[in-house]
Amino acid sequence: MATLLTKFGALRSTFSPFYPTEHDLQVYKRLTEELGAPPNAHICRFLGAEGQHLVFLGDSGTREWARVQRLAAQRWPGLPHPGLVARDGKTMDSLPERIVYDMLRGLLRRHMKLDVHQPILQQAGDYRADMTLRKGQASLFIEVVGCCGSDRITRNQKEQEWLQRFDKRMAFYRAHAIAPVCIWLDQFAQPGTLRKLCINLVDAIALEGARS
């Protein structure tokens, strides 16, 4: 009986559109390894055709996406865990923030700091940067836009509200002649390019900090 049930489950996972395919799992595994954390369905929106079914599974409900995570973890138990907790135990506000935080933290040099959700200006504490790279007197502010890609297209009211909050912070930056680095959701679909950006940011603050 157990064998029959196992075979039935395998057939169902093969033919049901609500189960990940082998291709889906391989894409999920590759992104997880390259990003340093499992992607969510929102990131998969920017993969094009290869992420189309993963997006469908994510849109189908939390149970379907949890199945993707569970099957991948069972098959590759060494993959990083899902969720918002970074490698050092810090809980981030979003998965994209966790990914960027872990990437940057792994690149930090001597006398360099990576702050999270600290005031952009001390006299205006209501506005906080997602992350701030610091060395000496030099600071570089980073905003991780997890609600949409660089095309600014949102799909629901919640994403629109997140984008509006981001726009308010950007207005504050402009009012004080500060130019933050913005990392959009579509950039997570190209992990190699994202990592190069993080390397460049660390290089830039290292150079500026050495001069300050």
Side-chain angles (χ1 to χ4, degrees):
M1 178 63 71
T3 302
L4 288 175
L5 288 175
T6 301
K7 289 182 178 179
F8 175 75
L11 287 172
R12 183 176 62 175
S13 66
T14 300
F15 295 107
S16 171
F18 297 101
Y19 277 70
T21 65
E22 172 66 18
H23 174 75
D24 293 334
L25 292 175
Q26 291 292 340
V27 171
Y28 180 92
K29 174 179 180 288
R30 173 178 60 80
L31 265 184
T32 299
E33 292 173 337
E34 293 178 354
L35 290 172
N40 55 27
H42 302 301
I43 292 173
C44 295
R45 284 160 48 188
F46 301 96
L47 290 174
E50 71 170 349
Q52 187 173 1
H53 191 240
L54 285 168
V55 175
F56 168 78
L57 293 172
D59 289 344
S60 297
T62 55
R63 183 175 64 178
E64 283 71 24
W65 190 254
R67 184 182 294 125
V68 175
Q69 295 175 323
R70 184 177 68 254
L71 290 174
Q74 290 172 351
R75 185 165 176 182
W76 301 290
L79 287 179
H81 60 83
L84 306 182
V85 181
R87 283 195 290 267
D88 65 353
K90 183 183 291 293
T91 300
M92 308 300 291
D93 280 356
S94 69
L95 174 63
E97 282 191 12
R98 170 196 167 183
I99 292 170
V100 173
Y101 176 82
D102 276 339
M103 281 190 180
L104 288 172
R105 190 171 178 275
L107 297 167
L108 293 182
R109 302 180 188 176
R110 189 179 180 187
H111 303 310
M112 192 176 290
K113 290 179 58 181
L114 177 61
D115 291 333
V116 177
H117 299 152
Q118 292 300 306
I120 299 169
L121 296 175
Q122 291 300 325
Q123 64 270 30
D126 289 343
Y127 290 93
R128 297 171 179 265
D130 286 339
M131 294 174 214
T132 311
L133 272 173
R134 304 185 193 274
K135 183 176 181 181
Q137 299 301 312
S139 299
L140 191 155
F141 299 100
I142 301 166
E143 294 293 333
V144 181
V145 191
C147 60
C148 63
S150 53
D151 56 10
R152 295 176 56 89
I153 295 175
T154 57
R155 301 192 306 169
N156 53 56
Q157 183 64 34
K158 189 173 184 179
E159 290 181 353
Q160 291 176 10
E161 291 172 357
W162 286 341
L163 184 58
Q164 289 169 0
R165 289 198 292 269
F166 165 74
D167 285 340
K168 288 181 179 179
R169 287 202 305 280
M170 291 303 294
F172 179 83
Y173 280 118
R174 288 192 297 270
H176 293 85
I178 301 173
V181 173
C182 299
I183 301 177
W184 301 84
L185 200 57
D186 50 330
Q187 292 174 265
F188 291 84
Q190 299 180 10
T193 302
L194 178 60
R195 183 169 294 278
K196 287 180 182 177
L197 172 61
C198 290
I199 291 172
N200 290 339
L201 296 180
V202 169
D203 287 345
I205 200 66
L207 181 60
E208 186 178 350
R211 293 171 176 171
S212 63

